[in-house]
Amino acid sequence: MDLTLNSASSQMGLHRATVAEINISTLRKNFKSMRELLKPGVETMAVVKADAYGHGVIPCATALVEEGVDALGIGIIEEGILLREQGIQVPIQVLGGIFPEEIDDLIRHNLTTTLCTLELAKTLAIRAEKLNTRVGVHIKINTGMSRLGVSPDQAIDFIEQVRSLKTLRIDSLFTHFSTADEAVPDFTRKQLQEFENVIGKLVSSKGSIPKIHAANSSALLKFPESQFNLVRPGILLYGALTSPDLEPYRKVLEQQKTGFQPVMQWKTRIININEIPVGSALSYGRQFTTRKQSRIATLPVGYADGLQRSLSGKIEVLVRGARAPQVGSICMDLCLIDVTEVPSVREGDEVVLFGTQGKETIRIEELAVQGNTVPYEIMCCIGKRVPRVYI
Ligand SMILES: *Cc1c(COP(=O)(O)O)cnc(C)c1O
């Protein structure tokens, strides 16, 4: 049995059996592998939004800074303030942008923001002038995602106007892909073309912008031409992809020396085992009925920990190095697994929800497929009451 879990938790004074084990040296290796994919001179903004995709932003950001990351990307300003308070000094971009009320915090903490409207640009400029400083902004071009950004045909005019605001500093021009992970490359190519058109016009107008960026993890793997001079990988650093089908990525992954490994493993332990007679309907709603005399084990993990109820009856877990099906409705704090076919299971045994045990591995992408979602959501929804244990 793997004892890391127990020893790591007791070291930290944590006793919860359900933990997310985070391997920071794997994160470092993934970062190095990612860098091997970059053309010379291309910099990296590691995306650490949503608590580093559930991995814990401070340990992850600290390791990435030690590895030489050039900048960090976050979703909301609070995440940037936290990083600054913890002493992280690299440039930080609030990818999701800010509201006017957040300008003072942005300036005070030396953060930079995505910029999409002239109103915000002007308000920022006036405030920066009052505080006798300059604020870094990143102009976003909407090439198809249609969340944030200036439309390509208004881009040059917008950039000129922002340039005229002397207390603003245009740090970068960027866009974001909506289907870089999909098999058909057409729409990504179209987005890239729109973005390149804007860059082309910019070059023929005047002055350059220091950083140009577009590539998320999937684009970094599949569209090397989208690297420009900065990339913004997130999920790849945490060792996951958007689907368990690695085929589209195989070529580039095979060139890797170290490859990308999952940083997080989700583990728990059996709290109770019951012999249940044939024909018994289990858990809330009696959704699963035993077809024979069964051994049912209870796990102290439920949807309040991020094990989505919609996964009920669809997933498997690892126990004693074998796969066992989860059965019945997942409850708030507990769920059930059928261990009838797994020999010599005991209360207290380690159970892996995703990760490796013995020779078996369950990838987070597998859970995502079963839950009709993406690995991103599973990772970042692992709840606050699940301790992150760093190994
Ligand atoms: C989240 C995010 C990324 C990172 O995406 P991954 O698919 O995790 O690599 C990059 N850029 C922006 C704007 C994002 O919001």
Side-chain angles (χ1 to χ4, degrees):
M1 202 178 112
D2 180 7
L3 293 172
T4 9
L5 182 149
N6 297 323
S7 55
S9 339
S10 56
Q11 249 172 24
M12 299 183 63
L14 299 169
H15 300 286
R16 178 111 209 255
T18 302
V19 298
E21 229 176 70
I22 314 290
N23 190 329
I24 293 290
S25 63
T26 305
L27 177 71
R28 291 176 190 271
K29 281 186 201 144
N30 290 346
F31 181 75
K32 290 193 181 93
S33 298
M34 186 278 306
R35 279 208 151 163
E36 285 172 27
L37 301 170
L38 303 184
K39 297 172 192 166
V42 176
E43 295 191 353
T44 306
M45 174 189 297
V47 179
V48 294
K49 63 196 178 194
D51 202 24
Y53 293 38
H55 293 65
V57 71
I58 298 305
C60 291
T62 304
L64 291 165
V65 168
E66 281 170 13
E67 293 299 324
V69 78
D70 302 286
L72 298 171
I74 51 167
I76 59 174
I77 190 167
E78 286 81 353
E79 297 170 335
I81 295 171
L82 179 72
L83 285 165
R84 288 289 185 243
E85 282 171 348
Q86 297 295 315
I88 302 283
Q89 290 177 351
V90 297
I92 297 175
Q93 176 181 353
V94 186
L95 293 167
I98 61 162
F99 286 95
E101 307 87 273
E102 296 168 322
I103 290 174
D104 282 14
D105 275 323
L106 188 86
I107 294 175
R108 188 175 317 127
H109 296 283
N110 191 24
L111 304 168
T112 61
T113 183
T114 293
L115 182 68
C116 319
T117 72
L118 219 45
E119 284 89 321
L120 181 67
K122 287 175 183 159
T123 316
L124 262 173
I126 291 167
R127 194 65 195 147
E129 194 171 356
K130 282 230 172 70
L131 296 172
N132 198 18
T133 186
R134 288 183 93 200
V135 187
V137 295
H138 307 265
I139 295 179
K140 185 160 199 184
I141 310 299
N142 171 27
T143 56
M145 188 75 182
S146 300
R147 279 191 312 199
L148 300 171
V150 183
S151 82
D153 52 314
Q154 285 162 16
I156 297 301
D157 188 43
F158 184 81
I159 293 165
E160 292 309 328
Q161 300 213 50
V162 175
R163 270 206 181 118
S164 71
L165 302 167
K166 294 302 170 205
T167 52
L168 299 191
R169 183 188 69 230
I170 305 179
D171 286 347
S172 82
L173 185 73
F174 77 112
T175 194
H176 192 50
F177 297 125
S178 57
T179 58
D181 58 323
E182 290 180 9
V184 181
D186 303 17
F187 194 71
T188 306
R189 294 241 162 84
K190 184 169 171 287
Q191 286 193 271
L192 201 49
Q193 189 57 55
E194 291 259 24
F195 189 49
E196 279 169 347
N197 288 346
V198 173
I199 297 163
K201 282 189 222 154
L202 193 67
V203 171
S204 59
S205 71
K206 58 170 177 189
S208 64
I209 291 178
K211 290 283 174 282
I212 307 283
H213 46 116
N216 56 7
S217 298
S218 296
L220 203 161
L221 291 175
K222 289 162 59 183
F223 303 92
E225 67 274 30
S226 71
Q227 289 185 8
F228 299 99
N229 61 3
L230 180 81
V231 293
R232 300 190 311 269
I235 200 152
L236 188 62
L237 299 175
Y238 309 106
L241 293 170
T242 53
S243 104
D245 176 15
L246 298 180
E247 201 46 49
Y249 306 102
R250 192 162 311 280
K251 217 174 91 199
V252 59
L253 294 175
E254 271 168 8
Q255 297 164 358
Q256 287 289 303
K257 278 186 224 128
T258 47
F260 298 93
Q261 296 298 325
V263 174
M264 184 192 289
Q265 303 196 83
W266 198 6
K267 298 179 173 179
T268 186
R269 291 166 67 206
I270 294 173
I271 196 163
N272 192 208
I273 298 176
N274 289 294
E275 293 292 334
I276 306 286
V278 63
S280 308
L282 315 176
S283 191
Y284 285 124
R286 311 182 78 226
Q287 297 290 314
F288 171 83
T289 304
T290 50
R291 284 193 210 96
K292 56 180 176 186
Q293 161 91 15
S294 301
R295 183 172 301 137
I296 301 295
T298 305
L299 308 179
V301 58
Y303 58 76
D305 299 303
L307 189 64
Q308 296 168 18
R309 194 170 179 278
S310 60
L311 289 170
S312 297
K314 294 182 176 166
I315 56 168
E316 294 178 326
V317 300
L318 301 179
V319 54
R320 299 241 158 204
R323 284 179 178 249
Q326 188 279 319
V327 292
S329 294
I330 294 170
C331 312
M332 191 182 292
D333 308 315
L334 301 165
C335 70
L336 304 175
I337 59 173
D338 186 342
V339 292
T340 315
E341 306 301 329
V342 187
S344 58
V345 175
R346 299 227 171 78
E347 284 159 1
D349 277 359
E350 180 196 82
V351 172
V352 171
L353 294 153
F354 60 77
T356 299
Q357 194 187 53
K359 292 196 179 85
E360 273 283 354
T361 295
I362 291 178
R363 288 193 61 114
I364 191 170
E365 292 89 341
E366 235 183 86
L367 266 74
V369 167
Q370 294 308 323
N372 196 20
T373 181
V374 287
Y376 302 81
E377 189 183 0
I378 304 217
M379 280 179 189
C380 72
C381 289
I382 292 181
K384 279 207 178 68
R385 68 180 195 177
V386 177
R388 271 56 173 179
V389 175
Y390 295 91
I391 55 168

